[in-house]
């Protein structure tokens, strides 16, 4: 079963508008971490934001914020005031505390975001 | 600036040849990882290392080998036994091997085997 689901293969947004990229996850662990990464066409994987399962506040990093709804197992990325440079693939990932699984990130298939001028 | 350096950016090899991808980090991270990325499949873990002189197989280790002789370095060898080696390879590191420790990635190496 898919542990990380990103239901939007592609998204478009106008420059300066906000956009939400969806991510739902599945885990039976109480302790886990959720991550968002950005991958531009050049290929590097850039860490954007982290949310821990016990964090009560939604994580924020500059123009990025994470809308964390634990009961719904949802961890959506919100990008405010989109810029042309935000055009990229965005990946949601999870890491579980379970000793057998904490070694790796479990990845979604990504959402391709295009920012229109 | 601290970071992870992968080299080369592009690599071309003939079938049957082994090839080694370099990964160096100056973040003073204990844990290092190798991932493979194929179109439409997301990232898959090849090998990881929690500390120097220790490494473990990931989900798709067959046909690959690694070493971790220094904290800063985690080279990956793609052997001739790897059936489909053409892919984008990403090296990463994290402060520790823990669920709340973000991975930081290098720029990747695109390997093409013909």
């Amino acid at each position: 079963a898919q542990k990380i689901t990103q239901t939007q293969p592609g998204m478009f947004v106008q420059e300066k508008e906000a956009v939400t990229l969806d991510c739902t996850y599945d885990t039976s662990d109480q302790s886990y971490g959720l991550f968002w990464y950005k991958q531009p066409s050049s290929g590097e994987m850039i860490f954007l934001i982290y949310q821990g399962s016990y964090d009560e506040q939604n994580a924020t990093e500059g123009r990025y914020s994470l809308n964390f709804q634990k009961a719904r197992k949802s961890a959506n990325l919100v990008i405010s005031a989109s810029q042309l440079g935000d055009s990229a693939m965005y990946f949601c990932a999870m890491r579980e505390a379970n000793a057998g699984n904490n070694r790796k990130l479990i990845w979604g298939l990504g959402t391709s975001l295009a920012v229109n001028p | 600036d601290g970071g992870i350096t992968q080299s080369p950016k592009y690599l071309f090899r003939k079938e049957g040849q082994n090839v080694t991808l370099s990964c160096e980090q100056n973040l003073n991270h204990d844990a290092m990882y190798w991932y493979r990325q194929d179109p439409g499949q997301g990232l898959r873990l090849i090998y990881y290392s929690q500390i120097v002189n220790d490494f473990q197989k990931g989900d798709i280790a067959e046909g690959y080998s690694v070493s971790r002789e220094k904290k800063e370095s985690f080279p990956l060898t793609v052997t001739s036994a790897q059936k489909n080696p053409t892919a984008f390879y990403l090296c990463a590191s994290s402060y520790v091997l823990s669920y709340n420790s973000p991975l930081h990635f290098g720029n990747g190496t695109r390997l093409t085997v013909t």
Side-chain angles (χ1 to χ4, degrees), chain A residues 8 11 13 18-23 36 67 76-79 111:
Chain A
Q8 308 150 312
M11 290 277 287
V13 66
V19 63
T20 298
L21 306 183
D22 294 341
C23 173
W36 276 93
N67 183 359
N76 298 339
L77 177 71
V78 180
I79 306 174
T111 295

Side-chain angles (χ1 to χ4, degrees), chain A residues 39 42-44, chain B residues 35-37 86-90 107-110:
Chain A
Q39 189 176 40
S42 52
E44 72 265 35
Chain B
Y35 279 87
R36 170 180 171 141
Q37 188 177 27
T86 294
F88 188 55
Y89 291 87
L90 285 159
N107 289 346
T109 292
R110 194 166 298 278

